[in-house]
Amino acid sequence: MTGPVLLGTGARAGGRLLTSEEIDGRIGRKSGWLESQCGVRSRPVLSEAETQESLALQAAQTALDDADLHPDDIDLILFASAVGRQPIPATAALIKDALGLRKTAIPAFDINATCLSGVAALDVASLYVSAGRAKRVLVVTSEVATRALPWDTDPATAGLFGDGAAAFIVGEGASGIAVNQVILETWSEGYEFCTLGAGGTRYDFHSARDEFEENAFFRMDGHALFKLTRNKLPKFIDRLLDASGWSRGDIDVVIPHQASPLALEHMIRKCGFDREKVVSTVRDTGNLVAASIPMTLDTARRDGRIGAGDKILLIGTSAGVSLGGATLIA
């Protein structure tokens, strides 16, 4: 096998399962209301003893074990998430330190393409390996989406999200899941469709605290996002498959971003996939943002849904608005 391959994968969901019925009680709704609105039955959330970086470290260690590697075998660490631990410094440096690599010189930096951060990092890692710049790249994504949800103004959107982490290792190898093609596109007319405005330079905490606090919650224009992706996604998939030399009928397993049950159902109908080939976990995990695609891939592997020689499609959308996908061969 030539070219970059996935040598190992790992995942770690938040340690407590929060059901929609439990949330119904908290927000003063009848039992069953939230699930009827967002389609999610339960989602993992952080336990009191957990942090974003502790989930990331466990996912990373699981991926290393899966690949039979030690942290010292890694040449580059990419932290690929929508929201890191803090704006400065890069969360990747913290992951490197937690892995016991403080005294090594390997680079560690963050990549942010929101929900597609894992796919973007897969692309960067593959380029590093193909160019001979690195032999093994560790990609870690960890999200604590439950910290900034609009429960007061938009509970149906807030109910979609959970907390979790996933990791994978891209490297040289005679065996593994081969990376065939990765493509990302951005359609910036959708920039305001999904936003978390506070935390950067847009709103000054010191001089405009009210605006800062008002924009410290996630906002999504679901209708506008749906309309844009409905128009763009099918042709994007055509371009990805053409670049891969595949047709839809060649695909054995589809690993989509677990955006919402409604989004997955629409993708299946609009894009012409066989339903039994699509891995869906969102009703029980919620939307885990950038951890969604790599965690679903790990789940599919461990559940035996991926066999030798299978052709795998990773596909998703993200804020910005971006479309992204990859084709892999097991």
Side-chain angles (χ1 to χ4, degrees), residues 254-318:
V254 181
I255 307 288
H257 170 45
Q258 308 291 310
S260 72
L262 180 61
L264 257 65
E265 188 64 30
H266 174 74
M267 183 205 70
I268 291 169
R269 294 197 310 268
K270 185 74 174 177
C271 299
F273 294 121
D274 293 336
R275 186 176 301 274
E276 66 273 12
K277 295 181 179 181
V278 179
V279 182
S280 176
T281 63
V282 66
R283 291 189 182 277
D284 297 314
T285 66
N287 182 336
L288 299 176
V289 197
S292 166
I293 290 176
M295 182 179 283
T296 306
L297 175 62
D298 180 72
T299 298
R301 285 188 64 226
R302 295 177 190 278
D303 287 350
R305 293 196 61 171
I306 297 174
D310 278 354
K311 293 183 176 179
I312 306 159
L313 173 68
L314 311 184
I315 191 69
T317 61
S318 71

Side-chain angles (χ1 to χ4, degrees), residues 70-130:
H70 186 271
D72 288 335
D73 297 318
I74 299 300
D75 303 306
L76 168 65
I77 296 173
L78 303 177
F79 183 78
S81 291
V83 179
R85 185 174 187 264
Q86 59 194 47
I88 298 173
T91 305
L94 185 65
I95 303 304
K96 177 184 175 181
D97 194 63
L99 286 168
L101 299 174
R102 177 178 295 187
K103 295 183 179 181
T104 71
I106 68 166
F109 56 88
D110 291 0
I111 291 177
N112 185 348
T114 59
C115 294
L116 288 171
S117 298
V119 175
L122 172 64
D123 196 18
V124 173
S126 298
L127 290 170
Y128 262 82
V129 171
S130 296

